[in-house]
Amino acid sequence: MSTSAAGGAGSNDSNAGRRQSKRPKYSKFTQQELPACKPILTPRAVISAFLIVTIVFIPIGVASLIASHDVVEIIDRYDSQCIPPNVTDKVAYIQTPGEKPCNRTLRVDKRMKSPIYVYYQLDNFYQNHRRYVKSRNDEQLRDSKNANSTSGCDPEDSANGMPIVPCGLIAWSLFNDTYSFSRSSINLTVNKNDISWKSDRDHKFGSDVFPKNFQNGSLIGGGSLDENTPLSKQEDLIVWMRTAALPTFRKLYGRIEVDLEKGDVIQVNLNNVYNTYSFNGKKKLVLSTTTWLGGKNDFLGIAYLTVGGLSFFLAMVFTLVYLVKPRQLGDPSYLSWNRNPGGQ
């Protein structure tokens, strides 16, 4: 009987020990007893916060707009101008094999300091379409061991019974208009090195992957690739395959590394072979300088000015209300049960 009682007591002690072991270790963090900042939004604090936002945002907005306006751009739409006047069917003309040279004249209205970035701009081209974006095989682009891996590249996965490298609609539709520039009959060299993202060259396109069976199908989509140059060196392809999010986009073609002076006349010899006519697209050539903020973009400056102006307006409204009809902080008379003693 005593043994049973002892066993029972021991069992109770062990249960008590187990219950105590489940108790969390005390700390101010687990018990939410750490010091905390509990700001009280007094009228002065709110007005001060809005004024601080105003003081910070408005100068940034003004500086951003000034930097954007300092960017010099020359934009020339050439897709409609480079069609011979006797051509009525633009799609049939552009699909005819062979080069289609076109000469354009650009006038420099304001001094352009080097480097001058050369872009091509496409309108109404939806690179963000789901099927288009997915039509590639990153494993194939990265490693020569996966040259036969064409999953996801349909319908441009194979041609003549052989896999295509690089496969997919993105590579197949590679932009292939070319540009050359001259000033006073002197050629302006376009530097096409390092126009793509370094991370893309180093990690997404292999140095041992070479184009194979590319543009050998029955329907040619765009530009061709040098089969003796690895994909990591084909920077036009790398730039093109970083798909754009919007239907109107620019992609870097190269850099002119000499200054262009006001009044200069730039002769452009281009080859108009890329088909944007079948989907009513537009092609534009863009020459642009940059500032510390980048290219021309007024949105950032306007956004800062809008937020700063709105903050200033609210600060003035709250100040006026605070001065005209002040209210004591923590006044208990504003409590609902004090304003309506009957509970109504």
Side-chain angles (χ1 to χ4, degrees), residues 1-12:
M1 192 71 181
S2 60
T3 304
S4 175
S11 176
N12 291 335

Side-chain angles (χ1 to χ4, degrees), residues 305-343:
L305 287 177
T306 301
V307 175
L310 181 62
S311 297
F312 180 75
F313 172 76
L314 293 175
M316 294 300 100
V317 170
F318 288 157
T319 301
L320 184 62
V321 171
Y322 180 61
L323 294 176
V324 172
K325 192 177 180 181
R327 171 180 169 179
Q328 181 183 355
L329 185 65
D331 188 351
S333 64
Y334 284 93
L335 297 174
S336 59
W337 52 83
N338 288 333
R339 298 179 64 181
N340 301 300

Side-chain angles (χ1 to χ4, degrees), residues 31-204:
Q31 299 303 318
Q32 301 184 14
E33 294 179 357
L34 291 174
C37 178
K38 301 178 181 178
I40 299 176
L41 296 180
T42 63
R44 291 184 179 180
V46 172
I47 294 170
S48 300
F50 279 124
L51 288 177
I52 291 173
V53 172
T54 301
I55 293 171
V56 173
F57 275 48
I58 288 183
I60 295 177
V62 172
S64 300
L65 279 181
I66 292 174
S68 179
H69 291 168
D70 286 341
V71 174
V72 183
E73 282 189 348
I74 300 175
I75 303 175
D76 178 54
R77 179 184 174 185
Y78 64 88
D79 58 286
S80 57
Q81 303 298 324
C82 288
I83 298 292
N86 60 338
V87 173
T88 56
D89 191 343
K90 296 181 180 179
V91 176
Y93 167 78
I94 203 70
Q95 289 179 343
T96 303
E99 294 189 352
K100 300 170 181 65
C102 180
N103 298 321
R104 303 291 295 165
T105 300
L106 306 179
R107 300 186 181 275
V108 181
D109 295 328
K110 187 177 179 181
R111 184 175 185 269
M112 302 180 72
K113 187 177 180 181
S114 64
I116 300 165
Y117 294 90
V118 181
Y119 300 92
Y120 56 88
Q121 177 176 320
L122 298 180
D123 294 3
N124 201 37
F125 192 115
Y126 289 83
Q127 271 198 319
N128 59 353
H129 192 283
R130 183 179 64 86
R131 286 194 62 192
Y132 184 88
V133 172
K134 293 177 63 177
S135 186
R136 61 187 291 167
N137 189 292
D138 290 323
E139 294 180 356
Q140 182 199 65
L141 298 173
R142 191 181 304 117
D143 193 344
S144 60
K145 297 178 181 178
N146 299 317
N148 295 329
S149 177
T150 59
S151 61
C153 291
D154 184 69
E156 292 299 321
D157 52 356
S158 63
N160 302 320
M162 298 289 291
I164 298 173
V165 181
C167 64
L169 288 174
I170 307 177
W172 175 80
S173 60
L174 173 64
F175 185 82
N176 60 337
D177 283 5
T178 58
Y179 315 101
S180 61
F181 304 88
S182 62
R183 175 180 56 180
S184 301
S185 301
I186 300 175
N187 290 333
L188 296 174
T189 302
V190 178
N191 184 0
K192 296 180 68 66
N193 294 324
D194 297 333
I195 61 174
S196 60
W197 289 23
K198 187 177 184 300
S199 59
D200 287 353
R201 297 194 302 270
D202 294 344
H203 304 294
K204 291 188 175 182

